[in-house]
């Protein structure tokens, strides 16, 4: 095999895409900062027991593992940043009140989490710790939508809502192991009614009928009323449905935005404990943004704080956006002429991009659009249009 061939689902990022990714990264972080979120930078690798403790166990199969040559302990490359941010909130910041934290950095997956996905996403996320009310859920959704709007995605956006408490309530009192629960979750996610019927035939009637009803409970806000009738008698389900209706009300009013519900949707990380959502945009085969409430995520680190947040892959986001135009630049000669270097330095200090043309390379095309040039006129260097 050639030395330049990379592993499957791993790729270099070339100049045009890299510039777009970096510009988006800055826009997303600036948008989060506008809401009051503080930037954190967790390490790319940690001791394995920290990465995979508690709710992080769901990431076990996605985590690359290695041995630390200094200590001999097992380490892992992070597959998701949320457990690390929960550790920072619980163990390092240890604040009494609300903590708004954001991050943007690479994660590594042992296998792609969806068709054609990279195994090295650049994960951007924002999370609120310390508030259990719907206000935090609503802010998370609004920030996620504002991040997409900052990237240029305003029309055709679909917010799909669900709540992990509904399925949890229907499993309450059912004597099944984790493997059986995982099979039911898979059948629900695939809307496989026949498989679900086979898996739940020995369940208590209320749980069996409720789980089977979930397969058809997706669509617009009318689904919530249908669910209230089909799943009546369970207080936790009623509370979840009321919260979903209130969240939908808080999101209405923006042009180009559609709200939908899929009460059987259990995709994503298993640590979600309440409201969960996916945001779909034109050009993306699956949800571009995923998030929700995960109140137990910090328990293993000693603080079981309310938590809600979302994340997205910046590289995937770039893939659904139109290519950006080349950056405008000023072309300058490579010369020792008096005043030239000072003129170039002044232009760069003012924020301009100045490309010095090396001898013999004046006609080459690169990542910049030189629409102006630096020329000498009467002993003075000035910029003129090309």
């Amino acid at each position: 095999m050639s030395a330049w061939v990379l592993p499957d689902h791993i790729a270099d990022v070339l100049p045009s895409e890299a510039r777009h990714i970096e510009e988006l990264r800055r826009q997303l972080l600036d948008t989060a900062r506008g809401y009051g979120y503080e930037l954190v930078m967790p390490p790319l690798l940690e001791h394995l027991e920290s990465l995979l403790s508690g709710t992080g166990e769901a990431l076990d199969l996605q985590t690359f593992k290695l041995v630390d040559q200094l200590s001999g302990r097992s380490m892992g490359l992070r597959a998701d940043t949320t457990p690390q941010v929960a550790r920072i909130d619980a163990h390092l910041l240890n604040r009494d009140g609300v903590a708004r934290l954001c991050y943007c950095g690479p994660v590594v997956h042992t296998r792609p989490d969806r068709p054609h996905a990279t195994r090295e996403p650049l994960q951007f996320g924002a999370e609120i710790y310390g508030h259990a009310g719907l206000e935090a859920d609503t802010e998370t959704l609004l920030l996620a939508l504002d991040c997409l709007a900052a990237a240029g995605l305003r029309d055709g956006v679909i917010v799909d809502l669900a709540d992990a408490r509904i399925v949890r309530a229907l499993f309450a009192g059912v004597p099944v192991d984790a493997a059986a629960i995982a099979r039911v979750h898979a059948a629900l996610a695939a809307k496989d009614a026949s498989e679900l019927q086979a898996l739940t035939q020995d369940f208590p009637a209320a749980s069996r009928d409720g789980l089977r009803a979930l397969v058809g409970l997706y669509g617009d806000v009318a689904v919530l009323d249908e669910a209230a009738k089909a799943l009546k008698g369970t207080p936790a389900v009623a509370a979840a449905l009321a919260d979903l209706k209130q969240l939908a009300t808080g999101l209405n009013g923006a042009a180009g935005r559609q709200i939908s519900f899929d009460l059987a949707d259990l995709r994503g990380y298993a640590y979600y404990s309440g409201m969960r959502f996916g945001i779909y945009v034109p050009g993306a085969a699956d949800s571009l943004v995923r998030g929700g409430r995960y109140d137990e995520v910090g328990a293993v680190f000693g603080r079981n704080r309310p938590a809600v947040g979302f994340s997205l892959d910046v590289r995937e986001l770039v893939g659904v956006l139109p290519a950006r135009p080349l950056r405008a630049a000023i072309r300058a000669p490579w010369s020792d002429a008096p005043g030239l270097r000072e003129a170039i330095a002044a232009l760069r200090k003012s924020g301009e991009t100045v490309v010095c043309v090396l001898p013999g390379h004046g006609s080459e095309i690169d990542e910049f659009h030189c629409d102006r040039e630096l020329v000498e006129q009467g002993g003075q260097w000035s910029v003129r249009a090309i």
Side-chain angles (χ1 to χ4, degrees), residues 129-377:
Y129 292 86
H131 186 74
L134 284 179
E135 297 85 358
D137 300 57
T138 302
E139 180 176 300
T140 296
L141 283 159
L142 292 174
L143 174 56
L145 290 166
D146 277 354
C147 284
L148 294 180
L153 294 172
R154 295 178 177 84
D155 298 326
V157 174
I158 300 174
V159 181
D160 194 61
L161 295 169
D163 198 303
R165 291 174 293 176
I166 295 174
V167 175
R168 285 190 180 188
L170 294 175
F171 269 114
V174 179
V176 291
D177 57 21
I181 292 175
R183 290 193 293 271
V184 172
H185 284 181
L188 286 170
K191 303 288 190 293
D192 190 339
S194 59
E195 175 69 7
L196 189 62
Q197 183 173 354
L199 291 171
T200 59
Q201 59 184 349
D202 296 328
F203 283 22
S207 296
R208 180 188 65 232
D209 296 342
L211 289 168
R212 293 177 183 179
L214 286 181
V215 173
L217 291 174
Y218 59 91
D220 59 20
V221 71
V223 165
L224 300 181
D225 294 329
E226 295 176 25
K229 296 175 183 177
L231 308 175
K232 60 185 177 182
T234 308
V237 171
L241 294 174
D243 286 351
L244 288 175
K245 185 172 289 189
Q246 187 170 339
L247 283 171
T249 301
L251 294 178
N252 283 333
R257 181 185 304 163
Q258 178 182 340
I259 311 298
S260 65
F261 303 85
D262 185 351
L263 303 187
D265 185 10
L266 296 167
R267 292 175 300 168
Y269 298 120
Y271 50 60
Y272 289 117
S273 62
M275 179 276 297
R276 52 191 296 148
F277 66 89
I279 302 180
Y280 298 80
V281 301
D286 205 340
S287 53
L288 184 65
V289 182
R290 294 179 182 175
R293 180 164 286 280
Y294 32 83
D295 289 343
E296 292 95 0
V297 73
V300 71
F301 303 111
R303 294 189 79 200
N304 197 5
R305 297 236 291 166
V308 60
F310 72 90
S311 66
L312 61 86
D313 177 9
V314 182
R315 295 175 67 171
E316 186 180 15
L317 175 57
V318 166
V320 300
L321 295 172
R324 294 193 173 183
L326 296 179
R327 182 179 177 87
I330 299 170
R331 186 173 63 199
W334 186 271
S335 168
D336 292 327
L340 175 59
R341 293 188 178 180
E342 291 80 0
I344 292 173
L347 287 168
R348 287 173 175 165
K349 187 175 181 180
S350 70
E352 295 282 2
T353 297
V354 182
V355 180
C356 290
V357 179
L358 298 176
H361 297 273
S363 61
E364 292 180 2
I365 298 174
D366 56 22
E367 198 41 40
F368 300 95
H369 171 54
C370 292
D371 58 351
R372 293 154 294 161
E373 62 181 348
L374 191 59
V375 296
E376 184 182 17
Q377 294 178 328

